[in-house]
Amino acid sequence: TVNTNGQLSIGGVEVKDLASQFDTPLFVYDENHLRERCREAVAAFGADSVIYATKAFLCKAMAKLAYEEGVLLDVATGGEFHVALSAGVPGNRCVMHGNNKSVDELRMAITNNVRHIVVDSFDELNRLEALHAEGLPAPRVQLRITPGVHVNTHDYVSTGQDDSKFGFNLNNGDAHRAIEQARASSAVDLVGIHCHIGSNVLAIENFEDASKVMVDLFASSGLQELTLGGGLGVAYTEKDNAPTMQQWADVLKRAASSLPPTARVYVEPGRSIVAAAGITVYEVGTVKKIDGIRTYVAVDGGMSDNMRPALYESEYEVFDPERTTADRTEHARIVGKHCESGDILVFDAPVPPNIAVGDLLVTPVTGAYGYSMANNYNKVTRPAVVFVADGAARLVVRRETLDDLTRLDV
């Protein structure tokens, strides 16, 4: 909410008070927003059908929240699985992903009774054969299929095209060979197939195209489970237009309408669960005006807490939470404090006039792939994370200290 003085509050707490209490940079999540998005997805698709990609944002508090709201957790590494288990999430509420799972990660998944493993390669099938020979039980598995669908997103987060490091290629016959091999193996219990066409997909027809391909393959496979993955996109800037959860659900349900009632369909809503629930709060440290060129505004974070602009040329907006409704009549390049010219948060940001040292700036829609990609470049400590609800803020991830930076040194 924004009061009559233009001051922004989240969950009933003013952003300036959060910055004062927890320092900056700071990730702030609206906890009720997170829960509402989980509930919206579950209502659209049914209980135990929604799988949240923990890579978007994970800590023990987030894992516990998703579990409480009836959402399954997609873990792509042993580390993500460890966090989920540490939060009290049972193994059978998790799905193990990953294009290069180690033997130890597969063993961890099997011994902790994951719901299923999404197998990504023939090498992985061989690893599961070896583990079964050791005496481990045969896990339930789905095979990740690359359906040959190109989507309108950045190349680095496009995963469903033929040229992909992920999955078994459908068009060259690998998918059918993998189904035959898994079906003949006693080391795995083949229960379904899976696809993922990309991350932050905004064109809803892309989901329809991929779903039709997968439904046709599923119908001929005689299997019981189908996962229609691919990350539902979100609006990062005013010009973006993202499908609603219900629009996405309508497309997938229409595509799956020909399936028998016994078929189990899972979905992966991706970043849409967490992205818009989070903001990042910074403090301005330097304002540098270069006449005839541009104004640089440097904040106390940067590519250490938001890698997406550097990785994907992702676009964001920025505003002053103390004058949220002010007209943004000036322009500036919002940069971080790191020793890289590419340390840019917003390339050309409309900003309110007279930004000064000590002002706060907020970047909205940073709830996904902000904290999860945070790093220690230039030995900058990673920010704290707070959940806010009903007028109270709680620290869920503490800020790193300088001592943390040497904790692993020997």
Side-chain angles (χ1 to χ4, degrees):
T1 59
V2 181
N3 67 18
T4 55
N5 294 322
Q7 295 171 323
L8 176 69
S9 294
I10 295 180
V13 182
E14 288 193 9
V15 169
K16 69 173 182 179
D17 293 336
L18 293 170
S20 176
Q21 181 178 357
F22 298 104
D23 206 358
T24 58
L26 180 67
F27 286 103
V28 180
Y29 283 84
D30 182 334
E31 183 172 350
N32 289 332
H33 187 144
L34 291 171
R35 292 187 182 278
E36 287 165 6
R37 288 298 279 173
C38 289
R39 292 168 187 170
E40 185 180 5
V42 170
F45 292 103
D48 295 342
S49 298
V50 178
I51 306 173
Y52 166 62
T54 61
K55 62 180 181 175
F57 168 60
L58 180 64
C59 62
K60 290 198 295 185
M62 183 62 212
K64 185 173 183 290
L65 183 151
Y67 172 56
E68 289 172 347
E69 297 299 338
V71 174
L72 305 175
L73 277 66
D74 152 14
V75 293
T77 65
E80 289 179 350
F81 195 21
H82 176 74
V83 173
L85 294 173
S86 298
V89 179
N92 64 6
R93 300 294 298 178
C94 297
V95 172
M96 175 63 82
H97 264 278
N99 73 298
N100 185 24
K101 306 177 193 71
S102 69
V103 171
D104 287 342
E105 286 173 326
L106 291 170
R107 183 182 289 110
M108 181 182 184
I110 295 169
T111 55
N112 284 280
N113 195 31
V114 293
R115 178 164 295 229
H116 59 260
I117 298 172
V118 181
V119 174
D120 201 276
S121 68
F122 290 106
D123 290 326
E124 188 174 335
L125 285 173
N126 293 338
R127 290 180 187 128
L128 290 169
E129 292 278 357
L131 287 170
H132 189 60
E134 291 180 7
L136 267 65
R140 301 174 77 256
V141 303
Q142 294 185 3
L143 301 180
R144 180 164 179 168
I145 309 299
T146 307
V149 175
H150 293 258
V151 301
N152 183 22
T153 189
H154 195 280
D155 286 347
Y156 289 176
V157 291
S158 182
T159 59
Q161 70 281 3
D162 285 335
D163 183 3
S164 174
K165 76 173 189 177
F166 296 101
F168 297 96
N169 189 293
L170 178 62
N171 291 327
N172 75 355
D174 281 349
H176 291 285
R177 285 190 288 272
I179 290 173
E180 291 174 5
Q181 180 174 330
R183 184 172 274 143
S185 173
S186 62
V188 297
D189 176 15
L190 177 62
V191 296
I193 55 176
H194 167 284
C195 79
H196 185 286
I197 60 173
S199 188
N200 200 42
V201 180
L202 298 176
I204 203 163
E205 61 271 14
N206 292 154
F207 293 109
E208 191 159 19
D209 293 342
S211 297
K212 288 177 181 177
V213 172
M214 293 299 293
V215 166
D216 288 344
L217 177 62
F218 181 81
S220 65
S221 70
L223 298 171
Q224 303 87 48
E225 297 178 0
L226 172 64
T227 299
L228 297 175
L232 177 62
V234 300
Y236 282 98
T237 66
E238 189 176 16
K239 67 182 181 182
D240 292 336
N241 184 23
T244 66
M245 187 77 73
Q246 190 58 55
Q247 288 172 328
W248 184 56
D250 290 344
V251 165
L252 297 189
K253 288 178 179 179
R254 186 165 59 247
S257 61
S258 62
L259 296 177
T262 54
R264 181 65 183 272
V265 179
Y266 295 93
V267 298
E268 297 173 339
R271 74 187 66 205
S272 66
I273 296 292
V274 297
I279 66 169
T280 312
V281 187
Y282 301 102
E283 183 177 313
V284 174
T286 300
V287 179
K288 185 177 296 184
K289 296 184 179 180
I290 305 176
D291 290 341
I293 300 179
R294 74 174 80 252
T295 297
Y296 286 90
V297 175
V299 298
D300 52 355
M303 63 193 303
S304 57
D305 56 71
N306 190 350
M307 282 288 293
R308 295 188 69 252
L311 285 176
Y312 315 128
E313 298 179 340
S314 302
E315 296 181 347
Y316 288 87
E317 297 191 4
V318 67
F319 61 92
D320 182 342
E322 286 298 280
R323 39 179 178 158
T324 307
T325 55
D327 290 337
R328 293 178 289 169
T329 55
E330 297 184 1
H331 283 257
R333 177 164 290 181
I334 312 301
V335 299
K337 63 180 295 171
H338 303 284
C339 299
E340 298 283 342
S341 294
D343 179 24
I344 300 170
L345 292 171
V346 188
F347 290 83
D348 184 27
V351 294
N354 303 317
I355 289 181
V357 172
D359 286 351
L360 297 178
L361 287 181
V362 161
T363 306
V365 201
T366 56
Y369 302 105
Y371 183 78
S372 65
M373 288 185 174
N375 59 83
N376 293 125
Y377 181 47
N378 284 148
K379 292 299 183 183
V380 170
T381 55
R382 284 178 288 191
V385 182
V386 298
F387 281 10
V388 188
D390 304 321
R394 62 186 178 107
L395 185 69
V396 297
V397 181
R398 69 165 174 83
R399 184 177 306 280
E400 283 186 322
T401 67
L402 294 178
D403 285 340
D404 288 326
L405 298 177
T406 60
R407 186 167 50 87
L408 302 181
D409 289 0
V410 295

